[in-house]
Amino acid sequence: MNHFRGIRYVLLAIFAMLYGMAAYKFELPPFGVTKEAYEFGKNLAHHQTEDKPRIFLETPKEYLNTDVASLIAIRSRKDVMRLRHQLIAFLWGKPGLPSRLPELQTGYLEDLRYQDIAALERIDRLTVDMEYGLKSYVYHFIPHEPNGKVVLYNEGHDQDFFARKSQIAELLKAGYSVAAFAMPLTGLNNQPVVDIPNIGKLKLTTHEQLKFLTPAHGHPLKYFVEPEVVVLNYLKKYYQYSSISMIGFSGGGWVATIAAAVDDRIEKSFPVAGSYPIYLRSNSSRDWDDYEQTVPELYSRINYLELYVLGASGKHRKQLQILNQFDTCCFAGTKSETYKEIVRERVRSLGQGEYDLLLDASHEGHRISDAAMKRILEELAENR
């Protein structure tokens, strides 16, 4: 009997292992948990021979040689306006942000994945059409008891914003409306087939492929942030929200950084695990990834430090950048200490706005932690 019981346990273990592998590859339930466990194990194995305190607790000396303050060309509010106009012109090829509106699907959108959120009144779906047939599908979550404020939420690579359902539910419970976005080509968004001169027909499935696109105006990077700007036009036109804030996670944290830099209608921004300045990526494969993060034609004009300043500066504005000290993906460790105080003081010297950085040591993983979400909710509730 014990012999057969042992065989049964072995077979169950093999089945669990095979299902876990399938869940990761084909995004079967519970994909989010499986992926995080897999990525953590992969990164742990990759770094098992390295000195953990050196990686996570101490900034390597090579990153201390950069004159960080000299990289920030912003010295006045006029510099803020000048650089913001340059960024807008780079992205869209002309002055000013897009002024058009998204298409609205009226009435309640039946997405059963969210039906158990007690605070939810309804979901409206907005569609943002862009060049090359790119579509961004945005959910506008409206709570039963709205507080008159809205939060834009942007998910990271490879996932739908459903992965952050619990955070969306927390915001709705606190009375915030939520406009939720996924990055281009991910989540609910489409993956069109485009015909590119000298290349042929290509189905767009990865961000790396976007570099082959040649929009009539501007740069392909605009497709990452244009949905947020267009939906903001809609929210400003049809709702009287007293404040607009933005949270972004991972690649969505990068989007939040760019969106807050170009659009000062976003008052409070919270990029989570979203970016490092380029000089802090020079000898780290963990931090050197994703097409949009390292496009030379952008960052040679406006660097990350200046993007942080742009996103934080202005009346009633604040940016709280959140990085996970023990992140299993990227932007881990204490390297942000090389710029945190410098960016904070530069924003303060402008007379309007505030920048801060939270190094979250409450967990080991690539996520928005409970501690980070608590801090975000506190910041959102604070009147400025």
Side-chain angles (χ1 to χ4, degrees):
M1 180 68 70
N2 290 335
H3 174 70
F4 288 111
R5 183 180 298 160
I7 293 176
R8 183 174 61 185
Y9 289 154
V10 169
L11 291 174
L12 284 172
I14 293 173
F15 173 78
M17 180 184 69
L18 292 174
Y19 184 82
M21 294 170 63
Y24 179 81
K25 182 174 181 180
F26 300 108
E27 303 190 9
L28 303 173
F31 171 64
V33 175
T34 305
K35 181 176 182 181
E36 184 164 316
Y38 173 80
E39 293 294 343
F40 182 79
K42 183 176 68 173
N43 281 284
L44 189 63
H46 178 68
H47 295 291
Q48 63 183 350
T49 60
E50 297 187 25
D51 183 0
K52 287 292 188 188
R54 183 179 66 79
I55 296 172
F56 295 113
L57 302 177
E58 180 181 319
T59 300
K61 292 181 180 179
E62 64 191 275
Y63 297 116
L64 305 177
N65 298 325
T66 295
D67 183 356
V68 176
S70 69
L71 295 176
I72 306 175
I74 300 171
R75 296 287 190 276
S76 67
R77 296 182 196 175
K78 286 185 178 179
D79 290 336
V80 170
M81 295 301 295
R82 173 181 55 81
L83 223 57
R84 182 171 289 129
H85 290 157
Q86 287 182 12
L87 180 56
I88 291 171
F90 170 81
L91 290 173
W92 285 281
K94 48 190 174 182
L97 294 169
S99 59
R100 72 183 191 279
L101 298 173
E103 177 186 343
L104 169 66
Q105 177 177 318
T106 58
Y108 185 79
L109 173 66
E110 292 287 347
D111 190 327
L112 299 181
R113 297 177 301 170
Y114 300 98
Q115 66 177 353
D116 59 338
I117 299 179
L120 178 62
E121 170 69 28
R122 76 172 195 271
I123 303 173
D124 289 335
R125 190 179 79 170
L126 307 171
T127 303
V128 179
D129 291 301
M130 297 179 284
E131 295 167 287
Y132 293 101
L134 287 163
K135 292 180 180 290
S136 178
Y137 297 104
V138 182
Y139 277 16
H140 185 199
F141 296 89
I142 300 174
H144 283 297
E145 299 180 13
N147 63 10
K149 301 177 181 181
V150 64
V151 177
L152 279 60
Y153 174 75
N154 213 112
E155 181 54 39
H157 290 90
D158 304 326
Q159 294 199 74
D160 179 14
F161 42 76
F162 177 72
R164 235 49 59 186
K165 177 183 175 181
S166 63
Q167 285 84 8
I168 292 172
E170 281 190 78
L171 291 166
L172 292 169
K173 183 178 180 180
Y176 298 97
S177 297
V178 178
F181 303 77
M183 298 184 80
L185 313 177
T186 70
L188 300 175
N189 298 335
N190 71 332
Q191 297 182 339
V193 176
V194 297
D195 196 350
I196 302 175
N198 298 320
I199 291 179
K201 291 188 176 180
L202 180 67
K203 182 177 181 180
L204 299 178
T205 58
T206 69
H207 293 159
E208 187 73 21
Q209 295 166 327
L210 297 178
K211 66 185 177 184
F212 293 109
L213 304 184
T214 55
H217 302 283
H219 193 278
L221 284 179
K222 68 182 178 181
Y223 303 129
F224 290 89
V225 71
E226 192 165 306
E228 287 73 14
V229 173
V230 172
V231 168
L232 269 173
N233 296 339
Y234 165 84
L235 297 175
K236 293 291 287 186
K237 182 177 176 66
Y238 293 108
Y239 291 84
Q240 284 71 51
Y241 290 123
S242 60
S243 74
I244 297 172
S245 303
M246 184 169 183
I247 303 169
F249 169 65
S250 193
W254 175 89
V255 175
T257 299
I258 302 295
V262 299
D263 198 330
D264 61 4
R265 294 176 295 182
I266 300 171
E267 295 179 2
K268 298 177 183 179
S269 53
F270 306 92
V272 182
S275 69
Y276 260 162
I278 299 294
Y279 76 91
L280 292 179
R281 311 183 191 209
S282 60
N283 190 26
S284 174
S285 59
R286 289 166 53 91
D287 304 323
W288 198 275
D289 201 2
D290 304 326
Y291 155 72
E292 64 275 9
Q293 292 262 357
T294 55
V295 175
E297 54 265 37
L298 171 59
Y299 303 110
S300 61
R301 289 176 170 86
I302 303 172
N303 62 53
Y304 276 98
L305 299 165
E306 292 167 333
L307 290 172
Y308 303 153
V309 174
L310 290 179
S313 62
K315 191 175 181 180
H316 305 307
R317 300 193 81 211
K318 178 172 183 177
Q319 182 165 106
L320 174 63
Q321 184 182 10
I322 300 174
L323 298 171
N324 298 318
Q325 184 172 356
F326 305 105
D327 204 303
T328 52
C329 163
C330 39
F331 314 127
T334 61
K335 293 189 287 186
S336 58
E337 292 178 352
T338 63
Y339 68 83
K340 172 182 175 179
E341 293 300 329
I342 294 170
V343 174
R344 177 190 283 168
E345 288 304 316
R346 187 62 57 91
V347 173
R348 186 175 296 166
S349 72
L350 298 173
Q352 290 184 342
E354 184 180 352
Y355 171 86
D356 202 359
L357 188 146
L358 171 63
L359 189 59
D360 186 356
S362 69
H363 66 104
E364 294 184 2
H366 185 59
R367 62 178 179 270
I368 302 177
S369 72
D370 291 342
M373 196 63 197
K374 180 181 177 183
R375 174 70 181 274
I376 290 171
L377 287 167
E378 291 171 352
E379 293 282 348
L380 287 172
E382 185 177 298
N383 293 323
R384 312 196 70 78

